[in-house]
Amino acid sequence: MWGKILGALFGLALLRLPGLFIGLILGHWFDMKMGANLARFRGLFHETADQQGLFMYTTFATMGHIAKATGVVTTAHIQQARHFMQQLGLNETQQQEAQAAFRDGKASNFPLMAQLQTFYQHYGRQNDVIKYFLEIQLGIANANGEMSQQQQILLQQVATQLAISRIELEQLVAAYRAQQRFNQRNTQRPTANAAQDAYKVLGVSNDCNEKELKRAYRKLMAQHHPDKLMAKGVPAAMLDVAKRRTQEIQAAYELLKNRQ
């Protein structure tokens, strides 16, 4: 439906009445294509609502588009996508469907912004869900070790389309990178650098007091709590990833709590 509405409005603005009809035709084609793509996920995850099918399809299609931003999808991108599918516990058939969405997103003419607009219509008021979606995309964007300039630009466009500010995105990126470094260190014998990363994971300064630290920890735990995300429409398959994220937040907090 949104394809026809947006197409008609753009057509009317550009070409007046003839543009209105052209926009309706193009919008109808878009709705048909997106509907067919989403139908695969609705059939695949038949126990979920359409909203959850939309989440799954948009997640993997966006991953494909970000991976192709530099012009070439690398082995690291493919491995990251497969690793994420395995984290979700998808079976072989489900992985094939996820791969199909990923391929859709890789196409140069994939209407990413329109797809994200549809996604935002369903999840726009769920800021925690939007940020969770972006955290997933950071995995594919950093698959080669560091984001390319093209991927940074595209990720900012994705965030803007989802009403996430540049500052919020930068905070998510900083927390993601700190979390990656923190996870690679031996937490049994933490170093000063591990503590610095733990502060960034929790989004607080290293001179914060105990109250500020606990407040940041509780906020992140609530934001990533699987039950809360599920209640907001995140598919059940995504919840194990959220659970692991809460464990990572817990580990960062425990390290810092013992240093207070």
Side-chain angles (χ1 to χ4, degrees):
M1 180 183 73
W2 282 104
K4 288 190 281 293
I5 294 173
L6 293 174
L9 291 175
F10 284 128
L12 184 62
L14 293 174
L15 299 173
R16 295 179 181 273
L17 189 58
L20 174 65
F21 292 107
I22 294 173
L24 281 171
I25 293 172
L26 292 176
H28 177 69
W29 173 84
F30 171 78
D31 286 340
M32 292 284 288
K33 179 176 177 58
M34 288 298 102
N37 288 334
L38 285 174
R40 292 205 305 268
F41 274 81
R42 289 166 185 165
L44 172 61
F45 300 99
H46 55 83
E47 76 283 1
T48 68
D50 287 353
Q51 185 183 32
Q52 295 182 347
L54 172 66
F55 191 102
M56 295 295 288
Y57 179 79
T58 307
T59 294
F60 286 105
T62 304
M63 288 173 67
H65 211 74
I66 290 175
K68 193 65 181 292
T70 57
V72 178
V73 177
T74 67
T75 301
H77 287 132
I78 296 173
Q79 290 176 342
Q80 175 64 26
R82 287 177 177 171
H83 176 66
F84 182 61
M85 294 175 197
Q86 291 170 355
Q87 282 186 312
L88 298 182
L90 303 185
N91 60 37
E92 184 176 352
T93 301
Q94 291 171 330
Q95 288 188 40
Q96 290 175 356
E97 295 293 345
Q99 290 165 5
F102 190 87
R103 286 194 298 272
D104 284 347
K106 287 194 305 180
S108 59
N109 62 344
F110 180 75
L112 178 62
M113 293 302 124
Q115 180 65 33
L116 290 171
Q117 179 64 28
T118 302
F119 181 83
Y120 186 73
Q121 293 295 329
H122 288 270
Y123 290 101
R125 296 189 179 185
Q126 310 291 352
N127 192 256
D128 292 349
V129 175
I130 295 293
K131 288 185 176 180
Y132 180 60
F133 173 84
L134 286 171
E135 286 177 352
I136 293 171
Q137 302 307 324
L138 288 174
I140 200 74
N142 287 276
N144 288 320
E146 189 170 348
M147 284 189 287
S148 68
Q149 183 178 5
Q150 296 96 321
Q151 288 172 324
Q152 290 179 27
I153 293 172
L154 179 56
L155 196 61
Q156 182 59 62
Q157 292 173 344
V158 171
T160 299
Q161 187 71 13
L162 299 176
I164 297 296
S165 70
R166 181 180 295 274
I167 292 177
E168 288 177 300
L169 178 61
E170 289 174 352
Q171 290 172 341
L172 287 175
V173 172
Y176 174 84
R177 289 173 175 169
Q179 186 69 67
Q180 294 300 104
R181 293 191 300 268
F182 184 78
N183 289 344
Q184 292 171 358
R185 293 193 173 98
N186 183 357
T187 57
Q188 297 302 316
R189 299 178 62 183
T191 64
N193 287 337
Q196 292 299 318
D197 285 333
Y199 282 117
K200 292 179 181 178
V201 168
L202 297 178
V204 294
S205 62
N206 56 11
D207 60 351
C208 70
N209 57 41
E210 183 179 355
K211 184 177 180 180
E212 292 170 332
L213 181 67
K214 184 175 293 186
R215 184 189 304 120
Y217 163 71
R218 289 177 174 174
K219 180 179 178 181
L220 283 175
M221 289 295 284
Q223 179 181 322
H224 293 86
H225 195 285
D227 291 343
K228 184 176 180 180
L229 289 172
M230 187 172 183
K232 292 184 176 183
V234 174
M238 295 279 187
L239 299 183
D240 280 346
V241 176
K243 183 178 180 180
R244 277 190 287 273
R245 182 76 176 100
T246 61
Q247 291 170 346
E248 293 168 351
I249 295 168
Q250 177 78 37
Y253 175 68
E254 290 295 332
L255 172 63
L256 297 179
K257 183 178 69 172
N258 295 331
R259 295 170 63 94
Q260 290 289 317

